[in-house]
Amino acid sequence: MNLLAIDFGGTRTRAAWFSHGVNLIQRDETLSQVDQPAQQVLDRMIEVARKVIPAGEHVDAIGISAPGPLDAARGVIIQAKTLPDWYDVPLSRIISEAFGHVPVFMQNDANLAALAEYHLGAAQGADPTIYLTVSTGIGGGAVIGGTLFTGSRGLAIEPGHMRFPQADGRILRWEELSSGTGIGRLARERLAGSDALSSLRVLDCVDGKAVGKAAQAGDALALDVIQTSAYYFGLGLVNLIHLFNPQAIVLGGSVIQLGDLFLDPAKRIIEQELLDPRFNSDDLIRVAQLGDSVCLYGAALYARWKMESAL
């Protein structure tokens, strides 16, 4: 079975060709440029996908990883914050028609990342597995009993939208506190609300990446921001651990590249706040292994599973 996988994101669009054993044969990528009209974005997606198909080969099925919310059953992107003006776009049908009406199966990107890390990456055999991507936002997926868990309407799991009350009365979402975007927001609030010295004050753009670099260089304000963000990240993990009692939580995304600077304080919160230490283990928290191909692997696995389920 020849599988074509497409990973469509707000920044990059990737494509890969897989053999039946989900062995990656060839991949390519391009900028998504979602600020352009949708048809141009689609044309570029189809072009990069065609590039990875070996000469003379035919496509048996296509898997698509895309940002949600989406309707996986109908293959429709309902609305995604990373895709301006994309409303009710029948992406599966469009891609199927472009490749000779082959079967196309679409699923939320974080769900497919969870599937890939469970079968091929850091969580092989771990049941349940929770996957989190911590970058611009916080997305997630879960594999329970060896099966991707998507909820009653296919909308699970959206961990970035867990709510946390603040001392000033605000209620903020988890990704407003612990994503790269959230780290940047926290830093800008600290800078505006104090006269503390910080290398961040001379920057035109204070985002999560800049705060992370400053913290790694020893900037006190940046370090405090990272500590605060990690505190809330730990609390969010505690909630997920209590809900799912997972064997593994796999973490991916740019914020996780901060390593122990971010993860150590989060792990301390886990140790302090868990109801029972048996919820925890030395290898509960794991770093993702499949890099920026994780959603391609997930899309290929999902397409293969859907095709085999239909036999």
Side-chain angles (χ1 to χ4, degrees), residues 184-203:
R185 182 194 63 79
L186 285 169
R188 293 190 296 273
E189 285 188 358
R190 295 283 174 87
L191 290 169
S194 76
D195 295 324
L197 295 175
S198 174
S199 60
L200 296 171
R201 292 193 181 278
V202 301
L203 301 181

Side-chain angles (χ1 to χ4, degrees), residues 101-273:
H101 297 277
V102 301
V104 175
F105 307 99
M106 185 169 72
Q107 185 54 260
N108 177 275
D109 46 12
N111 286 342
L112 293 182
L115 196 66
E117 289 289 344
Y118 172 77
H119 284 285
L120 303 170
Q124 292 183 54
D127 185 21
T129 286
I130 304 296
Y131 173 85
L132 298 173
T133 178
V134 190
S135 52
T136 304
I138 299 178
V143 177
I144 301 173
T147 301
L148 187 64
F149 177 77
T150 58
S152 65
R153 296 184 179 179
L155 298 174
I157 292 171
E158 294 289 350
H161 298 280
M162 288 192 292
R163 265 59 172 177
F164 292 85
Q166 304 296 293
D168 60 7
R170 291 180 297 170
I171 297 177
L172 298 181
R173 293 176 294 115
W174 197 23
E175 62 185 24
E176 291 178 290
L177 295 160
S178 297
S179 69
T181 304
I183 289 171
R185 182 194 63 79
L186 285 169
R188 293 190 296 273
E189 285 188 358
R190 295 283 174 87
L191 290 169
S194 76
D195 295 324
L197 295 175
S198 174
S199 60
L200 296 171
R201 292 193 181 278
V202 301
L203 301 181
D204 293 330
C205 178
V206 178
D207 57 11
K209 183 177 181 180
V211 178
K213 285 184 176 180
Q216 289 170 328
D219 185 288
L221 186 144
L223 281 167
D224 187 58
V225 167
I226 296 298
Q227 290 277 332
T228 300
S229 180
Y231 167 80
Y232 283 106
F233 189 64
L235 287 181
L237 291 177
V238 168
N239 291 338
L240 293 175
I241 292 166
H242 282 147
L243 282 171
F244 291 99
N245 186 23
Q247 188 175 349
I249 297 179
V250 180
L251 304 177
S254 58
V255 173
I256 304 306
Q257 294 174 14
L258 288 170
D260 293 344
L261 188 68
F262 185 75
L263 293 179
D264 279 354
K267 289 177 181 178
R268 286 195 292 272
I269 295 300
I270 292 173
E271 293 173 357
Q272 293 169 15
E273 298 296 333

Side-chain angles (χ1 to χ4, degrees), residues 10-143:
T11 302
R12 293 186 178 277
T13 298
R14 301 179 174 94
W17 182 258
F18 289 86
S19 68
H20 177 67
V22 193
N23 295 310
L24 197 158
I25 306 300
Q26 187 168 322
R27 77 188 293 278
D28 202 347
E29 65 179 68
T30 186
L31 293 175
S32 299
Q33 300 183 58
V34 295
D35 56 319
Q36 294 182 354
Q39 189 58 54
Q40 292 184 33
V41 178
L42 289 164
D43 289 345
R44 198 159 38 249
M45 184 188 307
I46 293 166
E47 179 184 6
V48 74
R50 284 179 172 152
K51 284 182 180 180
V52 302
I53 302 174
E57 293 285 4
H58 69 280
V59 182
D60 292 310
I62 300 173
I64 301 177
S65 164
L70 53 79
D71 185 332
R74 295 190 300 128
V76 174
I77 293 181
I78 300 170
Q79 179 182 1
K81 290 185 178 181
T82 56
L83 305 175
D85 301 323
W86 281 60
Y87 300 98
D88 295 324
V89 177
L91 184 57
S92 288
R93 178 178 61 78
I94 293 168
I95 296 299
S96 178
E97 291 174 353
F99 289 90
H101 297 277
V102 301
V104 175
F105 307 99
M106 185 169 72
Q107 185 54 260
N108 177 275
D109 46 12
N111 286 342
L112 293 182
L115 196 66
E117 289 289 344
Y118 172 77
H119 284 285
L120 303 170
Q124 292 183 54
D127 185 21
T129 286
I130 304 296
Y131 173 85
L132 298 173
T133 178
V134 190
S135 52
T136 304
I138 299 178
V143 177

